[in-house]
């Protein structure tokens, strides 16, 4: 058994088939199959159920894989020792950010991060909360930025900032002339919403107290994973959608009137950094965290008056 075989198994589990895993590892598929077979022969039990599509671990394989991931993470920690010994922040950081946050946050901090830490390379991917946490546990992401509270074991959360929720109201809607959106006077048919299973949409559902799972009684049903797509619908059609505070910063002056505070207790989402308890890239993650906090509007560093809306996510 060797570390390369463990890396091969990890790639195979991640990609679910031999050809994709071999391509990622830059080896041939027969070579990958041979190494997995050798590992199984040495262990004297089967790791992969090859009858399933995508491939799945056997019960014995799941136990072995969990331990092998822990070993690979320890090896990577040893590789990071040289970076941690010096004063300079450098290396490679893989970060996952939820899609309802990344388009509005990354451009605020990335130039400062590159300027302050030129030796630090950062790779950012947009992923849902559950996938970010899963990959952090596997070691394929170093940290994540997402909306909390979230119930999850094996990771820790550190609060970064708060965002208020705003309504984005069409000029054709009766409440467009109001200073604030009255939640008691909107109906299900008024609202354009994100695809279910998104933590932002879970929070919107809590704010609206409307069962958005029901079929809408209008000609166009538009389910999207993009807040920007929903904004375009509101601007050109009718109705209402909801946007986070950072999304309001770059709205053009001619569209600012479409942004409305929500009446009553202000709904708020909490944004946190998630990572593992013992992380070899603590210095790099701290640099990222501090840069983000310095780059956002000062008002968002403290919780505003209002209620933090639960994500209703358990991982």
């Amino acid at each position: 058994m060797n570390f390369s075989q463990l890396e091969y198994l990890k790639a195979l589990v991640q990609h679910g088939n031999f050809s994709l895993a071999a391509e990622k590892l830059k080896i041939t598929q027969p070579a990958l199959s041979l190494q997995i077979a050798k590992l199984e022969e040495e262990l004297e039990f089967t790791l992969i159920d090859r009858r399933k599509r995508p491939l799945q671990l056997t019960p014995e394989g799941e136990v072995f894989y969990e331990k092998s991931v822990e070993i690979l993470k320890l090896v990577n920690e040893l590789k990071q020792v040289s970076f941690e010994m010096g004063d300079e922040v450098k290396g490679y950081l893989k970060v996952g950010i939820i899609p309802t946050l990344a388009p509005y946050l990354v451009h605020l901090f990335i130039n400062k991060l590159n300027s302050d830490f030129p030796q630090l390379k950062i790779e950012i991917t947009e992923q849902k909360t559950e996938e970010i946490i899963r990959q952090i546990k596997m070691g394929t992401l170093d940290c994540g930025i997402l909306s909390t509270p979230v119930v999850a074991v094996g990771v820790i959360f550190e609060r970064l900032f708060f965002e208020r929720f705003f309504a984005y109201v069409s000029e054709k809607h009766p409440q467009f002339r109001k200073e604030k959106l009255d939640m008691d006077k909107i109906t299900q048919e008024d609202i354009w919403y994100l695809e279910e299973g998104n933590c932002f949409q879970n929070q919107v559902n809590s704010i609206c107290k409307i069962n958005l799972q029901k079929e809408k009684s209008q000609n166009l049903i538009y389910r999207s994973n993009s807040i920007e797509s929903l904004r375009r619908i509101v601007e050109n059609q009718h109705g209402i959608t909801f946007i986070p505070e950072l999304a309001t910063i770059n709205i053009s002056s001619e569209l600012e009137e479409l942004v409305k505070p929500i009446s009553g207790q202000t709904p708020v989402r909490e944004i946190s950094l998630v990572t593992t308890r013992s992380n070899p890239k603590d210095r790099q993650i701290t640099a990222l965290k501090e840069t983000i906090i310095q780059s956002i509007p000062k008002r968002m560093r403290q919780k505003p008056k209002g209620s933090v809306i639960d994500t209703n996510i358990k991982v």
Side-chain angles (χ1 to χ4, degrees):
M1 187 188 307
N2 56 58
F3 291 127
S4 293
Q5 289 173 324
L6 301 185
E7 292 283 6
Y8 293 167
L9 177 62
K10 182 179 177 181
L12 186 56
V13 172
Q14 287 175 345
H15 295 284
N17 69 65
F18 280 92
S19 58
L20 285 177
E23 182 179 350
K24 181 69 175 178
L25 293 165
K26 298 181 179 179
I27 62 174
T28 65
Q29 183 174 334
L32 175 59
S33 298
L34 177 62
Q35 288 299 319
I36 297 299
K38 283 185 175 180
L39 183 57
E40 290 177 322
E41 182 180 355
E42 181 176 350
L43 294 170
E44 297 183 348
F45 59 78
T46 303
L47 293 167
I48 301 293
D49 187 343
R50 292 162 175 80
R51 299 168 299 176
K52 302 288 182 64
R53 292 293 182 273
L55 299 174
Q56 294 182 13
L57 290 164
T58 63
E60 297 84 359
E62 289 181 0
V63 175
F64 180 83
Y65 178 70
E66 183 179 341
K67 294 298 182 182
S68 69
V69 168
E70 292 178 7
I71 292 169
L72 289 173
K73 286 177 68 175
L74 290 172
V75 172
N76 287 330
E77 288 181 18
L78 287 175
K79 292 178 181 178
Q80 288 295 317
V81 168
S82 61
F83 290 115
E84 294 298 315
M85 294 299 288
D87 293 330
E88 191 173 15
V89 175
K90 55 186 177 180
Y92 198 91
L93 194 63
K94 293 184 178 180
V95 184
I97 307 181
I98 55 174
T100 57
L101 177 63
Y104 314 112
L105 176 64
V106 173
H107 73 93
L108 293 180
F109 72 80
I110 195 63
N111 288 339
K112 178 173 175 56
L113 187 72
N114 290 338
S115 175
D116 292 351
F117 307 102
Q119 298 301 313
L120 177 62
K121 307 299 180 184
I122 185 168
E123 177 184 326
I124 297 172
T125 57
E126 293 187 17
Q127 294 173 340
K128 288 186 176 182
T129 298
E130 295 90 339
E131 183 62 16
I132 289 174
I133 292 175
R134 186 184 75 84
Q135 291 203 30
I136 287 173
K137 289 181 179 179
M138 290 179 61
T140 51
L141 285 178
D142 298 308
C143 64
I145 303 171
L146 42 77
S147 182
T148 50
V150 170
V151 178
V153 297
V155 293
I156 57 173
F157 300 94
E158 186 173 356
R159 185 184 302 125
L160 295 176
F161 60 91
F162 297 90
E163 281 191 288
R164 293 174 292 169
F165 284 86
F166 286 85
Y168 198 70
V169 184
S170 168
E171 293 178 345
K172 302 173 184 177
H173 193 277
Q175 292 208 50
F176 174 69
R177 299 299 173 188
K178 305 286 186 180
E179 286 189 11
K180 293 186 177 182
L181 180 74
D182 187 344
M183 295 299 300
D184 294 330
K185 294 182 179 179
I186 62 172
T187 66
Q188 176 185 340
E189 285 70 28
D190 287 334
I191 303 171
W192 299 104
Y193 54 94
L194 292 174
E195 191 70 65
E196 293 295 334
N198 181 295
C199 65
F200 186 86
Q201 185 54 45
N202 292 349
Q203 292 168 318
V204 168
N205 290 350
S206 297
I207 295 168
C208 296
K209 298 181 175 63
I210 292 174
N211 183 7
L212 297 178
Q213 296 281 8
K214 294 180 181 178
E215 207 64 26
K216 299 180 77 172
S217 58
Q218 53 186 223
N219 292 336
L220 174 63
I221 298 173
Y222 192 95
R223 294 186 175 91
S224 173
N225 287 314
S226 166
I227 290 173
E228 293 304 300
S229 295
L230 299 185
R231 278 187 54 207
R232 300 291 89 79
I233 292 289
V234 169
E235 291 163 11
N236 294 287
Q237 296 288 326
H238 55 78
I240 297 167
T241 194
F242 294 89
I243 59 177
E245 187 169 357
L246 284 180
T248 68
I249 292 176
N250 293 321
I251 290 178
S252 61
S253 57
E254 60 267 25
L255 295 174
E256 285 180 352
E257 287 187 326
L258 277 65
V259 181
K260 306 287 182 183
I262 298 171
S263 63
Q265 191 175 44
T266 303
V268 176
R269 76 169 176 172
E270 177 186 80
I271 302 299
S272 300
L273 182 134
V274 56
T275 185
T276 52
R277 291 189 180 277
S278 177
N279 196 304
K281 297 186 179 180
D282 280 341
R283 182 174 294 183
Q284 293 92 328
I285 292 171
T286 297
L288 173 66
K289 177 187 69 176
E290 292 178 352
T291 303
I292 290 174
I293 292 173
Q294 292 167 14
S295 301
I296 61 169
K298 289 183 179 179
R299 66 179 181 274
M300 299 175 70
R301 300 174 192 173
Q302 300 295 324
K303 180 182 175 298
K305 292 182 179 178
S307 175
V308 172
I309 307 300
D310 199 339
T311 63
N312 294 314
I313 290 180
K314 297 181 179 179
V315 182

